[in-house]
Amino acid sequence: KLVLGGLMEPYAYVLRNLYGVWQTMQGRRQGLEAMDVSGTDVWRSFQAVLVSIPMLWATWISALRDIAPNSTLTPASIMLRLAFADAVAWLLPIALFALIARPAKLTQRAAHFIVTNNWGSVIFIVITTLTVPFDLLSSDYDGLAATASALALLVSLVFYFRMLHVALDAPYEVSIPVYALMIFASLFGIYALYGALGLTYAGPSTG
């Protein structure tokens, strides 16, 4: 029983935090109560990266199909660059928050932000992964894949704002500017990084 309990504890930890962050995405503040936001658990929340790797792998395979036709890079090089870009995308919001926390008087919410950002990223990657089957279909489904990706982005943006607002526990006049900064800086930063890494997507097929 002790061995079984030891094996189940990590799964219970993951599920508890995923449930909690999902609740914050519904705008429910009690979601934070289900999550571990103490000092040591902030670092532990980076286990969310390991939880995400299988799904990230699926998105890299999908991206490889779109990038390879326009690239002189090897598939292995493209995959490594995609992994690096996703690592930056994961850490960029945390770095941005570290820069603005003191001026915005949000330092006391740092642990809440980091923990929800880490576990929330798992949910957002799940949403993105749901679009992969559309992209892996033939090029005749380019329009369908684009629609699925746009819907996934819209849903993620809504969920991210709700999660952020709960994590900050701040009025809208604070959470809205922080949200805007996170979204625009992250999108611009990742777009620039993809260009610097030579990750250019192929356009829709016309034949």
Side-chain angles (χ1 to χ4, degrees):
K1 292 182 179 179
L2 289 175
V3 173
L4 182 60
L7 291 174
M8 291 301 294
E9 195 277 336
Y11 295 103
Y13 169 78
V14 169
L15 292 176
R16 184 173 69 254
N17 281 280
L18 288 177
Y19 171 78
V21 81
W22 175 253
Q23 291 295 304
T24 68
M25 291 179 183
Q26 313 311 306
R28 298 168 185 159
R29 298 182 184 277
Q30 61 266 34
L32 289 176
E33 299 174 5
M35 306 180 73
D36 297 312
V37 293
S38 66
T40 55
D41 286 309
V42 167
W43 294 109
R44 193 181 180 192
S45 70
F46 283 94
Q47 291 181 16
V49 176
L50 299 179
V51 176
S52 299
I53 286 177
M55 294 172 289
L56 285 171
W57 186 267
T59 65
W60 298 337
I61 293 295
S62 176
L64 177 64
R65 175 181 178 272
D66 294 329
I67 293 172
N70 281 357
S71 179
T72 58
L73 300 170
T74 65
S77 179
I78 293 174
M79 294 285 278
L80 287 173
R81 291 168 190 236
L82 287 168
F84 176 74
D86 276 337
V88 172
W90 192 297
L91 296 173
L92 184 57
I94 296 174
L96 288 172
F97 186 83
L99 291 174
I100 68 168
R102 189 177 297 277
K105 300 180 179 180
L106 292 170
T107 53
Q108 75 280 8
R109 305 303 294 179
H112 302 79
F113 176 84
I114 294 172
V115 172
T116 55
N117 184 81
N118 284 340
W119 290 111
S121 293
V122 178
I123 303 294
F124 299 134
I125 292 167
V126 169
I127 294 171
T128 301
T129 305
L130 293 175
T131 69
V132 168
F134 297 102
D135 191 58
L136 292 179
L137 294 173
S138 70
S139 58
D140 293 335
Y141 289 84
D142 283 332
L144 184 59
T147 300
S149 296
L151 288 174
L153 177 60
L154 179 61
V155 170
S156 295
L157 289 174
V158 172
F159 282 173
Y160 185 76
F161 176 74
R162 291 176 176 175
M163 181 189 78
L164 180 68
H165 185 62
V166 170
L168 297 183
D169 191 26
Y172 284 108
E173 54 265 32
V174 173
S175 58
I176 289 176
V178 172
Y179 171 77
L181 173 65
M182 294 293 174
I183 295 302
F184 288 112
S186 295
L187 290 178
F188 178 80
I190 297 306
Y191 179 81
L193 180 60
Y194 265 56
L197 293 174
L199 300 174
T200 304
Y201 281 76
S205 173
T206 57

